[in-house]
Amino acid sequence: QVTLVESGGGSVQAGGSLRLSCTATEHVYSDNCMGWFRQAPGKEREAVAAIYTGGGKSYYGDSVKDRFTISRDSAKNTVYLQMTSLTPEDTAMYYCAADYRLCRGLSSPEGDSNYVQLLKIGGQGTQVTVSS
């Protein structure tokens, strides 16, 4: 069972910023794809961003491009999601995932997006609430 520790969520006003963190064990982090998906009440999951922990190549969902930045710190087995210019539409529970499907799916946005619904939840998630 994958165990991921997420942190950094909170409540901000529109236009604000937050940084999420996700820490994995070295075994999970090493040479993997890690990233984030989110789910708002009453909505399906949405892939947000992902990064290959080995090479560092990153991918983003269309709704967050140019606003969110994913990065990694391999010394800490941690990936970060820096979120800027937040809007109420970004309000959701954010989940970290360690799964190659997230990188492959975000790299091919024209493909079947159902994989997001199948990603395992490895941590407790972190709530992001953006008020207008």
Side-chain angles (χ1 to χ4, degrees), residues 29-92:
Y29 177 90
S30 180
D31 199 21
N32 204 345
C33 168
M34 290 184 63
W36 300 87
F37 64 94
R38 66 188 181 185
Q39 187 164 25
K43 294 188 177 181
E44 288 194 337
R45 295 177 179 181
E46 178 189 7
V48 175
I51 187 168
Y52 281 113
T53 58
K57 191 168 178 63
S58 58
Y59 307 91
Y60 298 92
D62 287 342
S63 64
V64 306
K65 277 179 184 175
D66 300 323
R67 299 189 299 122
F68 291 12
T69 302
I70 191 168
S71 61
R72 76 203 195 285
D73 184 339
S74 296
K76 298 180 179 179
N77 298 331
T78 299
V79 296
Y80 302 97
L81 185 68
Q82 179 68 49
M83 307 184 293
T84 63
S85 301
L86 286 161
T87 74
E89 288 68 38
D90 295 313
T91 296

Side-chain angles (χ1 to χ4, degrees), residues 105-128:
L106 282 169
S107 69
S108 302
E110 70 281 2
D112 185 357
S113 63
N114 190 56
Y115 72 93
V116 185
Q117 314 310 320
L118 304 176
L119 295 174
K120 290 184 179 179
I121 294 177
Q124 77 282 7
T126 187
Q127 177 68 39
V128 171

Side-chain angles (χ1 to χ4, degrees), residues 2 24 42 51 54 94 99-100 103 118 125:
V2 174
I51 187 168
Y94 284 68
D99 195 312
Y100 270 98
C103 284
L118 304 176

